[in-house]
Amino acid sequence: MRTWTPLHGEPYQPVPYSPARIPDQEALRISAELRARMDQRRTVRSFAPDPVPEELVLNAIAVANTAPSGAHQQPWTFVLVEDPEVRARIRAAAEAEEQVSYDGRLGEEWLSALRPLGTDAHKPHLTDAPYLIVVFQQRFGLRADGSSYKHYYGDESVGIAVGMLLTALHLSGLAALTHTPSPMRFLGEVLGRPRNEKAFAVIPVGYPAEQAQVPDLVRKTMDQVLVRV
């Protein structure tokens, strides 16, 4: 089994890439089904306590790990948190930061944008969901001798990976929420992450609660987001 090692400028050896081409009609069917399924994706804040097969979550993280990244540096770490005590510590710290934010740190413009969603500093999803995936961005790489090297396009790379993670979770029948308390330094402290990592997002994962509700949102139409040139 090959392991990933930064090559420090050495070229990768080329390997053949010839996936079987899907016939047009089959490809259209698959893409239409994917579009319909993803149109049902919603952010969920109420989770059932039901156990989730761990392999579903691990497979989703494996999908996220296939994301493209600047110079193929893969500047991400996914911390899977199951321990109820650790999740409780994360919730307590997150709610403390969120309370300060909702009390005014966010600013009135941001608070006004959040108001229709009905969110507040209370974050029960952090302990209700059976899993938390805490995504960290590696701001720079660390060699075995402790020296560092630069990472490129870290925000973009990790953002793409998180998008692929959310897609994989949804297609596996799981609900998720992208939670970004600010500041998030406490996550590195609670989870004992190294100095080169900063928290990017906390993603509770599980099945939606039986009585879960979501805002009745309307997405922009294709005409509003697509420009043809």
Side-chain angles (χ1 to χ4, degrees), residues 94-115:
E95 289 184 333
E97 294 291 356
E98 292 281 10
Q99 190 62 60
V100 176
S101 294
Y102 278 91
D103 284 346
R105 182 168 59 188
L106 291 177
E108 182 52 38
E109 185 176 0
W110 181 220
L111 287 171
S112 178
L114 287 175
R115 220 162 267 133

Side-chain angles (χ1 to χ4, degrees), residues 36-113:
R37 291 188 65 186
M38 290 307 299
D39 193 48
Q40 298 171 359
R41 190 206 62 77
R42 298 300 301 270
T43 291
V44 172
R45 290 181 169 82
S46 299
F47 289 87
D50 306 350
V52 170
E54 185 183 73
E55 191 170 359
L56 287 180
V57 182
L58 295 179
N59 284 342
I61 293 173
V63 169
N65 193 45
T66 70
S69 60
H72 190 55
Q73 291 177 320
Q74 304 167 94
W76 46 66
T77 302
F78 302 92
V79 179
L80 185 59
V81 185
E82 301 176 65
D83 188 322
E85 182 179 334
V86 177
R87 286 188 285 125
R89 289 173 59 196
I90 289 174
R91 176 179 174 180
E95 289 184 333
E97 294 291 356
E98 292 281 10
Q99 190 62 60
V100 176
S101 294
Y102 278 91
D103 284 346
R105 182 168 59 188
L106 291 177
E108 182 52 38
E109 185 176 0
W110 181 220
L111 287 171
S112 178

